[in-house]
Amino acid sequence: MLPRAEYEELLARADESAEDEEDIAIYDTRKAEFAEAGVATLPKEVSAAILRGDSRLKAIRQWKDITQLHLSFKTGISQGYLSDLESGRRAGTPETIAKLADALSVPINWLS
């Protein structure tokens, strides 16, 4: 026989395990859908930086090992404006986002 508290703990763990399995199945399904659609997913380093609070632009720029100044020269966008975009103080126009995606050699949807 098992004490009731241990039994309830086992039930709770079983529920958590089932939930984890469901999450994994959802993840696998979504990943397959992206692959079929030809959608490039963010690299894990970029995703980790975003989870730490960086903007997508900053995370991708740092992943590419490019400084704001270098990106400024490549795009013709001022370094101050890039800083504002990275911090969320300003939103870029579609043309600006396209320039940045081109300069960083990433799909535009990574920045939009």
Side-chain angles (χ1 to χ4, degrees):
M1 292 209 14
L2 215 70
R4 181 141 184 105
E6 287 182 30
Y7 172 74
E8 289 176 359
E9 185 179 334
L10 287 173
L11 283 179
R13 286 186 186 176
D15 286 343
E16 289 174 7
S17 177
E19 185 178 332
D20 289 345
E21 289 174 13
E22 290 173 9
D23 290 345
I24 291 168
I26 291 169
Y27 171 82
D28 289 341
T29 300
R30 296 297 181 262
K31 192 171 179 183
E33 289 171 357
F34 282 147
E36 286 176 20
V39 176
T41 56
L42 292 170
K44 65 180 180 180
E45 300 87 357
V46 174
S47 296
I50 292 168
L51 289 172
R52 286 191 305 270
D54 289 345
S55 67
R56 283 185 183 210
L57 176 57
K58 181 177 181 179
I60 292 168
R61 179 182 58 76
Q62 289 180 335
W63 173 64
K64 291 285 190 166
D65 197 28
I66 297 175
T67 65
Q68 283 183 351
L69 190 58
H70 182 79
L71 188 56
S72 173
F73 287 128
K74 283 181 81 170
T75 60
I77 298 168
S78 74
Q79 185 272 328
Y81 185 50
L82 286 173
S83 177
D84 286 348
L85 292 173
E86 286 187 2
S87 69
R89 288 187 296 268
R90 296 176 76 179
T93 64
E95 295 80 18
T96 300
I97 301 303
K99 274 185 189 180
L100 292 167
D102 185 53
L104 292 166
S105 302
V106 297
I108 196 165
N109 66 326
W110 282 14
L111 296 175
S112 50

